Amino acid sequence: MDALSDGESEANGNGVGKREMASGPSHWPAIEAGQGLSDFEDLDEWSPRTGELSAAPDEARLGSQAAVIESDEATAGLEIRFDNGIDFEGWDASLAVKPESADRIIVEFLAPTRSERLTSIRIVPDGYDGWFRMDCGYQQKPGEDPDLSNVTGLNITADGPDGGPTKLLVDDLRRTESAANGAVILAFYGGHESHYDVAAEMLAERDWTAAVPVSPEQIGEAGRMGLDELRDLRDRGWDVCSLPQVSTPLPEQPADRQRQVLEHARDALASEGFEDGARHLFVPDGGMDAETYDVARDVHESAFLYSSGTTGVPPTEMHMIPYIWGPALHTGVRRHANLSDQYGLLTVLRVPRIVDEDDVGVDENRMSLDDFGLLLDHLEHRGLDVVTPSDLVDGDFERADGENETTSPKRPSGVVLEAGQSHAFEGSGSTDSQTVGLDGGILVANVSHDGSAIAVDVTGVDGSGRSENLLTTAENAIGESIMAVEGGSYGLEVDADGAWSIELSQPAVRADDLADLPVQASGTGSAFVGPLWTEGDVRVVATHDGDGQFVVDGHGADGSREILVHRTGSFDNSRSYKAGGVVWLDVEADGDWTLEVVDS
């Protein structure tokens, strides 16, 4: 079945015509933008996967009816198949949903089979049972690389509360053009002093702006920015956004009281000169029901809610924009950023107070300076646009045109990198920092030790002061590692429980040294693979059978770095790597590992 076959006209550059949608009035969250894929007027297009599928004429958002899928069990789902496939390259999908009894909504894009799929997941706020529009940004790519030019079907599944019953209403499935580039919003929650003293300066180096959600009552409190600092950020292009301070969650308050809370915080910020930022709400404590949603739509131009997920740029749903926990750099943030880069999506990150590594603590509402620096490096390497909430509301985003604007790098000839410095050290146990001079290029470390574990860190003396791990190895007497460095002075710190020796070198790299893909490698403990020649994005399939830390980093001859894997214990999965050019893969492991590097 081809859901666009009936009534299609005005074929566009993707070879898909606009479908004639149901006539008559539409009701939010049905929209007119983009192209309709299904208006649920003909339920024969759809099949139940679990539960019973029926029409819901009293709930129609578009045309004469919506659809309802319900079950007494833990899940209820429906599916549609496109016999000729639909092109989703350069398009975002969205649909109107009403989770009357559902905690989670999952949309799978079969591209073209379930082995090559992308998955969108939306966590439903506790107690929310009204309509909203779900932007189907991707959170998971569990199998092989999908081909979005040939999506053969969609599966929509709702997970019910406490094992059921489950009930979900849906309407107005459509696609809108994607942005030409992926984007990220950095939301510095609470306006802490470190956001101004540390983060703002690191963003200024990249000419980036951000959002600062604050409660008007907390401005100038101990450890938080005052009006002068916030106004300085505003003048730099930052948004100072509303984060109302509440003692009782909004959904537990009457609607008129909720309105008073939101309007008071908005107006208090606006009166201090933050009119632009005050248009945007960060919902306190993640509490939102259908009543809160309606009030937020009246009072604010956008609203952000703690959840999982990416969304479109800009979203079709501006009042339930998901944001995720920024310190989860290795357990979700990198994946979301990579998917935003690959598919032109938006990731919103909540960044708490920034502290030194030793001050993070366990389960603290803090982010280490080292991890924050790695986060910015990753966003920069991925080429994401760093935007503000006002950019979403006011900005004119360039749309994807279906053209691949990426140019393949030219394979080098002769010398790729000149030879640089070399240093040798010996010692026992942990040592104070030793300063070494390095040239721009790569740094190779060969380490031997007779203890159980050793870690070697380098810190740029004249840079940001962030410490980066050069090598960590446990239960292995020798190890080697590689990283990209800029020219300058570096501090070398060793943490070990026995005698050790370290040889640092910056070898020359020549075109004849480059290995072509595909490449397979294996080893035990710490090692590196490369130099490799890559013409663009690659996929790295990795396994690890150890119990300790397993880290795989990509380093480019141009100085770029991307963290691919940062897990503990066994691992068997794949990661995308925005390579392109001459690269190395650095492996830190305590067991046996394998890598397979192939073109993406």
Side-chain angles (χ1 to χ4, degrees):
M1 179 186 304
D2 184 347
L4 287 173
S5 61
D6 295 331
E8 67 177 33
S9 61
E10 300 178 15
N12 59 29
N14 294 296
V16 176
K18 293 183 180 180
R19 185 181 181 189
E20 184 178 334
M21 299 296 284
S23 60
S26 63
H27 307 278
W28 176 257
I31 59 176
E32 296 182 357
Q35 296 181 359
L37 301 179
S38 177
D39 52 18
F40 295 90
E41 294 294 292
D42 180 6
L43 291 189
D44 288 340
E45 295 178 339
W46 294 84
S47 302
R49 303 186 75 215
T50 55
E52 296 184 1
L53 176 64
S54 59
D58 293 340
E59 294 281 359
R61 302 290 93 189
L62 180 68
S64 64
Q65 66 182 34
V68 57
I69 185 75
E70 52 189 327
S71 166
D72 291 332
E73 306 301 325
T75 65
L78 66 165
E79 64 184 21
I80 188 171
R81 295 294 178 260
F82 311 125
D83 292 343
N84 299 322
I86 290 182
D87 186 358
F88 270 90
E89 289 278 4
W91 296 89
D92 297 330
S94 64
L95 73 160
V97 294
K98 185 180 183 183
E100 286 200 354
S101 179
D103 290 338
R104 190 172 69 153
I105 305 170
I106 304 162
V107 181
E108 291 182 323
F109 296 77
L110 312 186
T113 72
R114 201 166 185 272
S115 297
E116 304 98 1
R117 72 185 186 273
L118 286 162
T119 303
S120 179
I121 302 172
R122 176 55 60 92
I123 305 299
V124 179
D126 288 343
Y128 193 97
D129 59 3
W131 283 100
F132 72 94
R133 189 156 197 90
M134 178 175 170
D135 289 287
C136 299
Y138 310 124
Q139 285 81 62
Q140 294 180 358
K141 187 169 60 173
E144 300 296 323
D145 276 338
D147 178 9
L148 281 181
S149 68
N150 185 23
V151 173
T152 61
L154 270 67
N155 300 331
I156 302 174
T157 303
D159 289 342
D162 301 323
T166 306
K167 184 177 182 180
L168 175 70
L169 290 96
V170 292
D171 206 348
D172 190 35
L173 170 66
R174 64 178 56 235
R175 63 180 190 174
T176 52
E177 289 179 284
S178 302
N181 197 51
V184 64
I185 290 177
L186 296 169
F188 293 95
Y189 229 68
H192 294 282
E193 287 180 345
S194 61
H195 293 155
Y196 183 80
D197 297 335
V198 178
E201 298 311 307
M202 295 174 71
L203 265 64
E205 294 173 359
R206 296 167 167 85
D207 197 26
W208 289 353
T209 53
V212 187
V214 295
S215 168
E217 291 77 16
Q218 292 183 323
I219 294 174
E221 286 189 352
R224 299 181 188 269
M225 284 185 257
L227 286 172
D228 289 343
E229 291 83 2
L230 290 171
R231 287 170 179 156
D232 179 48
L233 294 181
R234 174 205 61 192
D235 293 343
R236 299 191 205 181
W238 290 44
D239 275 341
V240 179
C241 305
S242 179
L243 174 60
Q245 188 174 16
V246 295
S247 57
T248 303
L250 288 174
E252 297 179 18
Q253 302 183 39
D256 58 348
R257 177 56 184 160
Q258 293 187 46
R259 182 176 297 274
Q260 291 175 9
V261 170
L262 298 191
E263 289 180 345
H264 169 75
R266 179 199 63 187
D267 295 345
L269 289 177
S271 69
E272 298 292 354
F274 307 119
E275 296 91 342
D276 284 348
R279 298 179 296 164
H280 314 295
L281 170 69
F282 281 76
V283 180
D285 301 324
M288 178 178 279
D289 62 8
E291 204 164 55
T292 308
Y293 173 82
D294 289 339
V295 174
R297 280 176 54 83
D298 283 344
V299 176
H300 291 279
E301 295 185 38
S302 71
F304 296 80
L305 185 72
Y306 183 71
S307 183
S308 63
T310 60
T311 186
V313 186
T316 62
E317 172 58 87
M318 294 294 289
H319 290 84
M320 204 179 282
I321 302 173
Y323 66 82
I324 61 175
W325 182 236
L329 183 62
H330 308 302
T331 55
V333 168
R334 288 183 296 105
R335 171 166 47 86
H336 282 70
N338 294 353
L339 291 169
S340 290
D341 169 39
Q342 289 176 275
Y343 301 109
L345 299 169
L346 170 71
T347 294
V348 183
L349 301 175
R350 172 179 171 173
V351 182
R353 186 154 61 103
I354 299 170
V355 299
D356 291 333
E357 182 74 37
D358 294 340
D359 295 328
V360 173
V362 179
D363 297 328
E364 290 281 1
N365 185 21
R366 303 174 183 180
M367 185 174 191
S368 75
L369 173 60
D370 292 346
D371 276 355
F372 181 68
L374 291 175
L375 169 63
L376 297 191
D377 290 345
H378 188 76
L379 300 179
E380 185 173 32
H381 175 65
R382 278 284 172 171
L384 294 170
D385 293 331
V386 180
V387 301
T388 66
S390 289
D391 290 328
L392 293 185
V393 171
D394 304 331
D396 182 17
F397 290 94
E398 182 182 353
R399 296 298 185 177
D401 58 8
E403 297 293 331
N404 183 3
E405 299 178 359
T406 303
T407 58
S408 298
K410 182 180 180 181
R411 186 177 184 124
S413 60
V415 177
V416 178
L417 293 174
E418 299 282 354
Q421 304 285 331
S422 61
H423 305 275
F425 303 94
E426 292 183 348
S428 181
S430 300
T431 67
D432 295 333
S433 178
Q434 305 180 60
T435 301
V436 298
L438 298 173
D439 296 326
I442 57 168
L443 174 65
V444 175
N446 284 278
V447 176
S448 63
H449 68 114
D450 62 9
S452 60
I454 183 171
V456 182
D457 294 336
V458 294
T459 303
V461 174
D462 300 323
S464 65
R466 291 189 292 113
S467 177
E468 296 190 18
N469 181 254
L470 175 59
L471 179 141
T472 297
T473 186
E475 308 301 338
N476 294 291
I478 59 173
E480 61 177 359
S481 184
I482 193 169
M483 67 184 299
V485 295
E486 297 180 355
S489 297
Y490 289 80
L492 184 74
E493 297 185 4
V494 179
D495 184 8
D497 58 359
W500 49 264
S501 65
I502 301 173
E503 294 182 357
L504 303 179
S505 62
Q506 295 189 276
V509 179
R510 299 174 176 82
D512 292 344
D513 300 329
L514 306 183
D516 293 306
L517 303 186
V519 168
Q520 293 183 333
S522 60
T524 302
S526 300
F528 65 87
V529 179
L532 311 178
W533 171 248
T534 62
E535 295 186 352
D537 294 353
V538 302
R539 176 159 291 274
V540 179
V541 183
T543 68
H544 177 236
D545 69 359
D547 297 324
Q549 197 171 66
F550 179 53
V551 179
V552 182
D553 290 342
H555 294 278
D558 59 358
S560 62
R561 177 188 180 187
E562 181 171 341
I563 305 170
L564 306 181
V565 181
H566 195 293
R567 293 296 179 91
T568 299
S570 60
F571 185 86
D572 185 357
N573 211 323
S574 64
R575 293 288 187 267
S576 66
Y577 174 27
K578 195 175 184 69
V582 179
V583 300
W584 292 260
L585 297 178
D586 186 68
V587 180
E588 305 288 348
D590 75 339
D592 296 333
W593 53 265
T594 66
L595 293 181
E596 181 181 8
V597 189
V598 298
D599 288 318
S600 182

